[in-house]
Amino acid sequence: MNTKDSLLADSEILQFTDKVGLTLDKEFEHLQVNFFKGFVFLPDMAIHFGSFYATHDFTRITATSAISDGIGFIFHNIFEVDGIAEADKGNRIATPPYVRIFPYSISQKISFAKDTWVTHVSISISAGYLKNFLKEESDHFQFLFDNTHSFWIEELMTDDIVRTVNEIVKKEEPDSMKSFYYKIKAMELLFYLFESLRKRQTAGSVKLSHKEIDAVYRVRDKIVSSLSQSSSIEELKQIAGMNELKLRRIFTQVFGMGIYDYYQHLRMKEAARLLREENVSVSEAGFQMGFENLGHFTKVFEKHIGMKPKKYVQSFKGTNTKLIVRNEG
């Protein structure tokens, strides 16, 4: 990215943050902006997306905004970086992709590792506007509206979410009514997210402390680090520093499914990626994910992916469509 484009992107970020009442504290000292776009629909909503290159290790703390009772939706590291120099291709995205939902009243830490790329699509929306938009469907999401200052949710990506994120970022924008277009796309993205959220297990909703949130993410990181072999609940309890009942309740509240189901789901998403992108056989995908019995692997795969492995392979063979899907974590 040349100096002129970089200065233009920096200027667009400052204009956007000024409109929504956010402040940037020396972020530009640590980030090189590849591209950035932001659209504001005050007092109800805003969307921004872009990619950044971290020149130093640092952590950004999210702040409040001008959107009343704002809820943040972050689609982090889902799309790949385009338009970078060939010499920079080796600098990979370090943090696994995630979809995170949180109230702006709870500050979020976003870590940036030196010499890595970070991409995001972020939507801010007021709780009242969202509830009115959902209308009668809002009853299914009371965990968002009854505890607007305490919830913390991470959702797994679906193919529809991945596709819509890429359409927002990479599809050529219209010549006119750009704001209207991006507001519609933002609502489309939220539709697919809420479609997924509607299937979540419920575990009650209690106020979570930063310590509890950090603990449950340490457990999640341990699960993600070894998908071919599960961690024992005793090991996970020690990592979290809490008893089993509390750990299971908080994990389900944050991630929408129990610890073992979450582990199995990630295993099957990785198996699907191996089949789709690495062109391995069904038996090899199962073996790499730690299955000795092919029939058991097939059964678990169908439960989490929606079809048997062989049918899944047939579904994408002969097509040129390639979605950007990595291991969620």
Side-chain angles (χ1 to χ4, degrees):
M1 188 178 202
N2 61 46
T3 303
K4 182 179 179 181
D5 289 340
S6 180
L7 290 173
L8 179 60
D10 290 352
S11 175
E12 289 178 350
I13 292 174
L14 291 173
Q15 289 179 38
F16 175 83
T17 55
D18 182 62
K19 288 179 181 178
V20 295
L22 297 176
T23 57
L24 294 179
D25 184 16
K26 300 182 179 179
E27 269 82 353
F28 290 150
E29 294 181 7
H30 308 292
L31 289 176
Q32 171 190 317
V33 183
N34 183 45
F35 84 92
F36 177 89
K37 288 183 181 180
F39 299 89
V40 179
F41 315 102
L42 291 178
D44 303 314
M45 187 176 174
I47 178 174
H48 62 95
F49 50 93
S51 65
F52 308 86
Y53 180 76
T55 57
H56 299 83
D57 292 332
F58 80 102
T59 300
R60 168 166 164 69
I61 307 297
T62 59
T64 57
S65 77
I67 297 175
S68 176
D69 286 330
I71 300 176
F73 299 83
I74 295 183
F75 303 82
H76 182 81
N77 281 353
I78 294 180
F79 65 92
E80 292 182 340
V81 183
D82 288 338
I84 60 175
E86 194 63 35
D88 293 331
K89 292 290 186 181
N91 296 315
R92 304 305 300 161
I93 292 175
T95 308
Y98 60 73
V99 180
R100 191 169 294 166
I101 310 167
F102 63 98
Y104 275 102
S105 57
I106 298 180
S107 297
Q108 183 189 189
K109 294 180 180 180
I110 303 177
S111 298
F112 298 83
K114 182 180 178 181
D115 296 331
T116 57
W117 289 94
V118 177
T119 71
H120 80 281
V121 173
S122 296
I123 299 172
S124 306
I125 190 168
S126 75
Y129 180 77
L130 179 59
K131 188 172 184 178
N132 183 63
F133 192 84
L134 288 167
K135 297 189 182 300
E136 66 276 3
E137 288 290 327
S138 64
D139 291 342
H140 297 285
F141 308 105
Q142 286 304 120
F143 56 87
L144 293 179
F145 305 116
D146 289 345
N147 300 277
T148 53
H149 300 291
S150 64
F151 68 85
W152 187 278
I153 295 169
E154 187 161 313
E155 184 66 11
L156 295 168
M157 292 183 297
T158 65
D159 288 348
D160 288 325
I161 288 173
V162 174
R163 187 190 69 251
T164 307
V165 164
N166 278 275
E167 287 176 354
I168 288 172
V169 175
K170 298 188 175 186
K171 189 175 180 179
E172 187 174 348
E173 64 184 20
D175 294 328
S176 60
M177 296 192 293
K178 292 180 183 179
S179 292
F180 188 31
Y181 170 79
Y182 283 110
K183 185 173 185 178
I184 290 173
K185 295 303 291 184
M187 297 310 293
E188 179 184 349
L189 182 55
L190 290 181
F191 167 79
Y192 289 124
L193 176 58
F194 275 84
E195 188 178 47
S196 182
L197 285 173
R198 206 176 188 280
K199 303 172 184 176
R200 289 175 71 91
Q201 294 181 20
T202 57
S205 184
V206 298
K207 186 173 182 177
L208 302 178
S209 67
H210 281 289
K211 183 178 180 181
E212 289 169 332
I213 293 171
D214 289 342
V216 80
Y217 272 93
R218 289 197 301 272
V219 170
R220 190 283 309 269
D221 291 344
K222 174 60 179 175
I223 293 171
V224 172
S225 70
S226 180
L227 293 180
S228 62
Q229 184 175 2
S230 62
S231 302
S232 69
I233 192 65
E234 291 300 321
E235 183 180 11
L236 298 180
K237 281 165 51 182
Q238 290 183 354
I239 291 172
M242 60 182 68
N243 64 51
E244 181 178 345
L245 181 62
K246 184 176 181 180
L247 172 59
R248 290 186 183 279
R249 175 179 55 77
I250 293 177
F251 193 95
T252 302
Q253 180 173 328
V254 172
F255 296 103
M257 61 180 72
I259 292 172
Y260 187 70
D261 280 345
Y262 185 84
Y263 163 67
Q264 290 285 61
H265 189 83
L266 291 189
R267 288 174 91 190
M268 295 306 99
K269 294 291 281 188
E270 174 61 11
R273 187 197 67 80
L274 291 171
L275 292 171
R276 185 179 61 251
E277 298 182 10
E278 304 297 331
N279 200 31
V280 303
S281 66
V282 171
S283 58
E284 177 61 22
F287 177 76
Q288 288 193 35
M289 289 297 98
F291 286 85
E292 296 181 359
N293 185 299
L294 182 59
H296 184 214
F297 168 65
T298 297
K299 184 177 180 179
V300 176
F301 188 96
E302 183 177 17
K303 176 184 176 182
H304 290 273
I305 304 301
M307 62 183 75
K308 290 180 170 61
K310 288 184 179 179
K311 187 174 181 181
Y312 179 78
V313 172
Q314 293 170 355
S315 71
F316 64 80
K317 273 189 175 180
T319 67
N320 294 319
T321 303
K322 182 179 180 183
L323 292 176
I324 304 168
V325 181
R326 303 182 193 83
N327 213 19
E328 293 99 333

